[in-house]
Amino acid sequence: MAPSQQAKSFKSVRGLLAGLAAGLCLLAGLPGAQAQAPAKQPPAAAQGTSQATPQVAPQAAPQAVPGFWDPRRRPERPDLSRLTVIRFLTETDYPPFNYTGADGNPAGFNVDLARALCEEIKVTCTVQMRRFETLVDALTSNRGDAIIASMAVSPQLRARVDFTDPYYRVPARFVSRKDAVMPEIRPEYLEGKKVGAIAGSAHEAYLKAMFTDAELHPYPNDDAMRAALRKGEVDFIFGDAISLAFWINGTDSGDCCAFSGGPFVESRFFGEGIGIAVRKGNDVLRQALNWALFRVWEKGRYTDLWLRYFSVSPF
């Protein structure tokens, strides 16, 4: 991803990289959130893939789409009469979530979701792109009304802004070579197995805490970790599932590998989820966005959007 290392660590705040919910997360079709993993900051989804320019992935075989909303907790429709326009802020270069489209306008999953929310609320919306590290300052100085930029909910950010309910999460998953895929992974299944993870990451910390009998191999970056799996130097790698999904489906993987087992989403390691930020105390907008997020999901528009951008499900 293009942002500086400082921005990346800021993004760790946005998801130590959220349907997709901290506390609400009913991951539809997920295998019981197995040994649920930590939420890392939002993945640099296109990083390490062969896609030089962001593309909407073609829809592949039917896949389970996660749901981050509890149908039993339907939010009441708030008073929307005071909302006339929503000025969304997003970042400049974080494909497929945010990027500049061929027409020069903002594009990506976050942008399309923002527009769907505006249609549901029936207000005019604008979308302004800014560097990630400038977004919170722009929001707090009233240069925008809401940030939709894969920003992870964290105690540090909660001190400066308020968040909607999470609209997605970044699960962690294991990847193996295709000839060694395991439908389920438990700590005892990986006893003596070589498992790669990024040194110093939440994924490494999770393996150290939960998979104590595995042989842990730390790597300095994604490229080195993925190359080790391709060469058979490790049996599995463990990392953020969204970036891994793009790698598996891209040419850089050489069609070598596939997910093993299901997603891990334990918030203690992997964060509270990804939410939309609004100014402190702006409950009118926050409640309106929560209501609209539920409605977009309930109507199936969230699922359509998810399938449009993610041909290999990270869940």
Side-chain angles (χ1 to χ4, degrees):
M1 212 183 104
S4 66
Q5 196 61 35
Q6 178 185 8
K8 283 188 177 179
S9 69
F10 206 172
K11 282 178 180 167
S12 297
V13 169
R14 51 189 235 193
L16 207 164
L17 117 152
L20 321 127
L24 293 177
C25 189
L26 290 186
L27 303 177
L30 296 192
Q34 297 179 341
Q36 308 204 348
K40 205 190 161 199
Q41 69 186 34
Q47 202 174 31
T49 71
S50 60
Q51 298 177 349
T53 56
Q55 298 179 9
V56 173
Q59 192 167 328
Q63 56 157 292
V65 177
F68 303 104
W69 295 271
D70 186 342
R72 297 166 300 181
R73 298 183 60 182
R74 174 190 298 273
E76 293 184 7
R77 187 181 189 277
D79 179 7
L80 306 176
S81 61
R82 286 186 282 169
L83 290 178
T84 57
V85 63
I86 301 174
R87 299 170 297 162
F88 276 105
L89 301 170
T90 194
E91 75 166 295
T92 55
D93 185 19
Y94 193 54
F97 295 97
N98 307 92
Y99 57 89
T100 302
D103 59 0
N105 292 317
F109 177 85
N110 285 327
V111 175
D112 285 349
L113 179 59
R115 290 171 176 154
L117 298 177
C118 293
E119 291 174 13
E120 195 63 45
I121 298 172
K122 294 181 172 54
V123 294
T124 301
C125 278
T126 62
V127 180
Q128 178 188 152
M129 303 181 81
R130 305 176 65 95
R131 295 193 316 276
F132 182 81
E133 64 269 23
T134 70
L135 290 173
V136 172
D137 286 341
L139 178 67
T140 57
S141 60
N142 200 28
R143 284 173 280 173
D145 301 310
I147 300 171
I148 186 165
S150 295
M151 182 170 284
V153 180
S154 72
Q156 295 87 347
L157 278 178
R158 282 191 185 279
R160 301 186 64 191
V161 299
D162 288 339
F163 281 98
T164 65
D165 297 334
Y167 65 93
Y168 79 89
R169 296 191 73 128
V170 181
R173 288 189 73 175
F174 288 94
V175 174
S176 64
R177 295 185 61 83
K178 283 190 170 180
D179 59 1
V181 167
M182 298 176 66
E184 183 180 7
I185 288 186
R186 296 180 181 179
E188 59 267 29
Y189 296 171
L190 299 193
E191 182 178 354
K193 298 291 186 181
K194 299 176 181 178
V195 183
I198 301 300
S201 68
H203 303 96
E204 182 189 45
Y206 187 77
L207 292 173
K208 288 179 177 179
M210 305 298 294
F211 288 80
T212 54
D213 293 326
E215 184 179 309
L216 179 59
H217 289 249
Y219 292 92
N221 54 52
D222 283 326
D223 288 342
M225 178 180 71
R226 294 166 182 174
L229 180 62
R230 288 191 62 181
K231 295 174 185 175
E233 296 172 0
V234 293
D235 301 302
F236 299 89
I237 59 176
F238 185 64
D240 91 67
I242 293 183
S243 63
L244 286 171
F246 278 89
W247 177 68
I248 288 170
N249 199 44
T251 57
D252 283 357
S253 68
D255 198 32
C256 69
C257 305
F259 283 126
S260 271
F264 297 78
V265 293
E266 185 178 21
S267 59
R268 182 165 65 93
F269 286 87
F270 306 120
E272 299 180 48
I274 305 299
I276 301 173
V278 301
R279 278 188 299 281
K280 290 292 270 184
N282 192 352
D283 290 341
V284 171
L285 180 55
R286 183 180 58 81
Q287 292 170 6
L289 291 171
N290 275 338
W291 175 80
L293 281 167
F294 186 94
R295 292 280 293 169
V296 166
W297 169 75
E298 185 179 44
K299 292 180 176 180
R301 297 182 66 188
Y302 185 94
T303 297
D304 293 343
L305 189 58
W306 183 265
L307 292 174
R308 183 182 172 201
Y309 281 93
F310 304 104
S311 59
V312 174
S313 177
F315 287 91

